[in-house]
Amino acid sequence: QVHLVESGGGVVQPGRSLRLSCAASGFTFSSYGMHWVRQAPGEGLEWVALISYGGSNKYYADSVKGRFTISRDNSKNTLYLQMNSLRAEDTAIYFCARDGTPYIAENWFDPWGQGTLVTVSS
Amino acid sequence: QSALTQPASVSGSPGQSITISCTGTSSDVGFYNVVSWYQQHPGKAPKLMIYEVSKRTSGVSNRFSGSKSGNRASLTISGLQAEDEADYYCCSYAGSSTYVFGTGTKVTVL
């Protein structure tokens, strides 16, 4: 059974950093692209970042480019999101999600983790 | 990249059919046949319902169907049931390995 479990959320002051993790199980992690998607309280979904299955290609939404870094450790079946220079508007639930199908670039998100809440506040 | 446009809310009585629209541009919905739809119940993670415009993921009822015409994609729920009450989001591949979600639609079963 495919399972994604996020961790690392919490309350952080503006300008500080936080690293999220997503532990994957039940599938060949190294075969799938992985995403981070966030949802501000009471708001819609926003795609944040994608990392290719091998880890060499990374893509970001303009809203986080230059501040966030997506990475993965295929030996540990774990996805990461390093968030620097955090702002109040980064407050959201952060979900990790797997590509729906392996190896292809144009994809969809399936499944999703349960999410971890990040609150940026002084 | 601007969010795809969805109606804020759609409602229907049990047994009725409803359609949720998702309007993008010729750079996303209109160009790529990689539109997906997600159902999200309160406090839960989104769940994939439809991918590649009209393909139902495993386990999803055939009451859910997807289509696309030009820059607009649609999700139709037929035979509306109480359990269908949720938020629904469309998403399109937008090129250069980026994605854009819709604004979201709250479905209410009257």
Side-chain angles (χ1 to χ4, degrees):
Chain A
Q1 182 181 1
V2 178
H3 208 43
L4 300 172
V5 179
E6 301 92 336
S7 60
V11 180
V12 60
Q13 293 179 328
R16 302 299 291 266
S17 300
L18 201 63
R19 189 177 84 155
L20 306 182
S21 299
C22 170
S25 60
F27 66 100
T28 305
F29 183 68
S30 58
S31 296
Y32 288 82
M34 294 293 297
H35 304 259
W36 288 99
V37 177
R38 69 184 180 183
Q39 185 171 36
E43 301 295 323
L45 300 171
E46 179 188 15
W47 175 79
V48 172
L50 159 67
I51 186 167
S52 61
Y53 57 90
S56 56
N57 298 307
K58 305 173 185 182
Y59 308 90
Y60 301 93
D62 288 344
S63 57
V64 306
K65 201 172 293 183
R67 300 187 300 121
F68 289 13
T69 301
I70 189 172
S71 63
R72 65 192 297 161
D73 186 336
N74 285 346
S75 69
K76 296 182 178 179
N77 289 351
T78 303
L79 173 72
Y80 303 99
L81 185 67
Q82 177 67 43
M83 304 185 294
N84 298 332
S85 303
L86 282 162
R87 307 166 179 166
E89 53 265 37
D90 295 319
T91 294
I93 297 172
Y94 285 74
F95 298 99
C96 65
R98 192 193 72 175
D99 265 348
T101 195
Y103 301 125
I104 70 170
E106 302 166 11
N107 225 304
W108 47 95
F109 313 107
D110 182 46
W112 299 58
Q114 85 289 348
T116 187
L117 177 62
V118 173
T119 302
V120 183
S121 174
S122 54
Chain B
Q1 188 77 2
S2 297
L4 309 176
T5 300
Q6 298 180 232
S9 63
V10 174
S11 61
S13 299
Q16 285 187 330
S17 293
I18 61 169
T19 296
I20 303 168
S21 61
C22 169
T23 303
T25 70
S26 57
S27 298
D28 40 59
V29 175
F31 194 83
Y32 298 99
N33 286 323
V34 192
V35 176
S36 50
W37 288 90
Y38 302 87
Q39 177 191 64
Q40 186 180 34
H41 286 108
K44 300 295 186 181
K47 172 190 172 185
L48 175 70
M49 305 297 282
I50 299 285
Y51 65 99
E52 290 184 325
V53 176
S54 60
K55 297 177 181 178
R56 271 187 306 276
T57 195
S58 176
V60 169
S61 169
N62 59 10
R63 298 185 296 105
F64 291 83
S65 61
S67 62
K68 190 187 89 165
S69 178
N71 297 340
R72 176 180 286 197
S74 298
L75 175 72
T76 297
I77 309 175
S78 58
L80 199 62
Q81 297 181 0
E83 68 217 46
D84 301 332
E85 187 161 293
D87 292 328
Y88 291 83
Y89 294 90
C90 61
C91 181
S92 176
Y93 181 73
S96 301
S97 294
T98 65
Y99 294 81
V100 59
F101 280 94
T103 50
T105 298
K106 181 178 180 61
V107 169
T108 300
V109 181
L110 301 172

